[in-house]
Amino acid sequence: MEELIKKLGEQLDASLANIRGKEELSDFWQEFFGKKGKIADLMKNLGKVSKEERPAVGKIINEFKESAEAKYRELEKKLDAAELERRNREETIDITLPAKKQPKGSLHPITITKNEMINVFAGMGFEIFEGPEIEDDDHNFTRLNVAKNHPARDMQDTFYVAEDIILRTHTSPGQIRVMDAKKPPIKVLVPGRVFRSDSDATHSPMFHQMEGLVVDKHITLCDLQGMLDKFVQNIFGENVKTRLRPSYFPFTEPSVEVDVSCFECGGKGCGLCKHTGWIEVLGGGIVHRNVLANCGIDPEEYSGLAFGIGIERIAMLKYGINNISLLFENDLRFLRQFRD
Ligand code: DAH
């Protein structure tokens, strides 16, 4: 019997020495401690032992069982600790590693400027309307009081798509579309792309404008100047103001060219304002009675103000950009400067 126990002890030690994981450990338990396990077999042998020897042998078996169980527990603890250590190691975050770069895009300076402009006018209660980029002659010219053969058509070099179908040369046709769809009071902004066959450092064949139109009773040039003062102050700084100069547009009467006092030199004269103290920023005026009448609005009852702002021009002034092509080349070295 003792011999048997000794052999089993050796087997047990050998098995324990080979255990690498919890699964093997559980197999080991079944093999030795299970109902049909080796230790249970040993107990069965106890029946064969003589009565006198039985207590002593029983004691030996029990001691063997206890020591085997202790060995098992010890190994289980070791394996648990190793497992915990492995998990901790795997789940550790090395905070000394440089973070993965998440490249961040940014809005285009034209979009930034456009949004800023919309914000200012939205604060005054303007709604947004967008018209089509492919426009007909009627909306782009005729109903804006620019008849066929009118010399004012030469003011803008037009891209033709078909006879009487063009790429809009300005956002002003948006005025006609709004007044066709809606009766006064009207207070809308029409932002969008416009197209002219023109290209140099300050002109691009495609650029952006923002049209403004207000139609109601008793609208005057003072309303126009008041709104534009707020606009330029928001864009160029608290201390600037506007100046209106007489001009000509077929769709407004009177028409004005709007200058802003130079935000660079405060009006003293500098390179930016060409030593005049003023910078031209937009055109506007009082909506021509013919234009109102063309849209079924009675010019005796209502009057309107309108303005058209070049978004590139505002962006170039605001950011000190001296060549319009920078706005369309999409050179990342340029665009990255507008990241916030
Ligand atoms: N449409 C004109 C242009 O593109 C700008 C303009 C001038 C718009 C006067 C207006 C305005 O609404 O009243 O040159």
Side-chain angles (χ1 to χ4, degrees):
M1 192 72 190
E2 264 172 76
E3 194 56 26
L4 215 65
I5 291 176
K6 199 176 157 216
K7 254 174 96 184
L8 196 59
E10 279 164 11
Q11 264 181 37
L12 186 129
D13 286 341
S15 287
L16 278 175
N18 280 328
I19 291 174
R20 295 280 168 269
K22 292 281 275 205
E23 240 172 75
E24 285 167 13
L25 188 67
S26 140
D27 290 346
F28 165 84
W29 177 266
Q30 286 302 327
E31 189 184 345
F32 288 89
F33 296 93
K35 261 195 193 143
K36 291 176 184 156
K38 290 190 167 138
I39 291 174
D41 282 349
L42 203 62
M43 292 303 237
K44 276 181 212 151
N45 284 330
L46 200 57
K48 294 176 198 158
V49 175
S50 69
K51 242 186 189 172
E52 300 73 50
E53 280 180 305
R54 207 172 287 165
V57 175
K59 198 174 163 225
I60 294 171
I61 295 177
N62 268 337
E63 277 170 7
F64 171 73
K65 201 177 154 189
E66 269 164 29
S67 100
E69 227 178 292
K71 282 180 187 170
Y72 168 84
R73 299 273 170 233
E74 196 187 332
L75 184 60
E76 188 183 40
K77 240 198 221 160
K78 260 197 211 156
L79 287 174
D80 281 346
E83 167 69 8
L84 186 67
E85 203 199 318
R86 184 189 63 78
R87 274 202 4 225
N88 282 345
R89 203 172 38 239
E90 270 175 20
E91 289 167 16
T92 306
I93 296 166
D94 183 354
I95 56 164
T96 64
L97 274 178
K100 256 194 201 155
K101 276 235 167 89
Q102 294 278 5
K104 189 171 162 232
S106 57
L107 294 178
H108 191 278
I110 291 298
T111 309
I112 298 173
T113 307
K114 181 178 97 176
N115 289 347
E116 245 177 70
M117 292 166 72
I118 287 176
N119 274 346
V120 177
F121 287 111
M124 297 182 212
F126 279 75
E127 293 176 282
I128 307 286
F129 172 84
E130 284 182 51
E133 290 173 9
I134 298 176
E135 193 45 288
D136 56 46
D137 187 284
D138 220 38
H139 286 88
N140 195 84
F141 292 123
T142 311
R143 292 175 70 198
L144 281 167
N145 204 32
V146 192
K148 283 234 159 94
N149 305 318
H150 191 292
R153 290 206 176 197
D154 295 341
M155 285 167 80
Q156 305 165 357
D157 265 321
T158 310
F159 287 116
Y160 278 84
V161 175
E163 200 181 336
D164 290 338
I165 303 292
I166 59 168
L167 299 184
R168 67 177 172 197
T169 58
H170 51 180
T171 42
S172 303
Q175 291 188 31
I176 303 295
R177 291 188 176 273
V178 168
M179 287 189 279
D180 276 350
K182 192 171 153 38
K183 294 307 153 205
I186 290 170
K187 208 171 186 185
V188 290
L189 276 187
V190 188
R193 289 194 183 91
V194 300
F195 308 85
R196 292 181 200 175
S197 180
D198 200 354
S199 185
D200 60 30
T202 54
H203 295 87
S204 156
M206 187 283 285
F207 62 105
H208 299 77
Q209 283 188 336
M210 177 98 66
E211 195 81 10
L213 174 71
V214 179
V215 185
D216 204 345
K217 289 178 176 159
H218 316 299
I219 296 294
T220 69
L221 218 47
C222 288
D223 297 311
L224 177 68
Q225 187 160 26
M227 286 175 182
L228 294 179
D229 267 330
K230 281 279 160 279
F231 165 68
V232 293
Q233 282 156 9
N234 267 283
I235 301 290
F236 297 115
E238 289 280 313
N239 299 323
V240 301
K241 54 183 181 196
T242 59
R243 174 177 83 170
L244 307 188
R245 277 181 295 111
S247 183
Y248 172 75
F249 297 103
F251 29 87
T252 41
E253 181 55 40
S255 300
V256 293
E257 210 77 70
V258 182
D259 297 340
V260 60
S261 56
C262 185
F263 44 84
E264 194 81 4
C265 63
K268 285 198 231 44
C270 68
L272 182 68
C273 59
K274 302 197 185 87
H275 303 283
T276 64
W278 295 93
I279 301 167
E280 188 187 318
V281 281
L282 61 112
I286 291 299
V287 180
H288 198 293
R289 358 184 347 114
N290 291 354
V291 176
L292 292 178
N294 285 343
C295 300
I297 294 173
D298 182 0
E300 295 300 326
E301 193 180 353
Y302 293 102
S303 57
L305 63 84
F307 53 86
I309 312 174
I311 301 181
E312 278 76 2
R313 172 137 183 89
I314 301 297
M316 288 170 78
L317 286 170
K318 195 172 142 62
Y319 296 118
I321 299 165
N322 57 12
N323 196 317
I324 198 166
S325 60
L326 285 167
L327 290 169
F328 301 111
E329 283 166 351
N330 287 334
D331 185 329
L332 287 179
R333 291 168 302 176
F334 172 76
L335 294 178
R336 283 200 180 111
Q337 297 178 51
F338 299 92
R339 259 203 298 231
D340 47 34

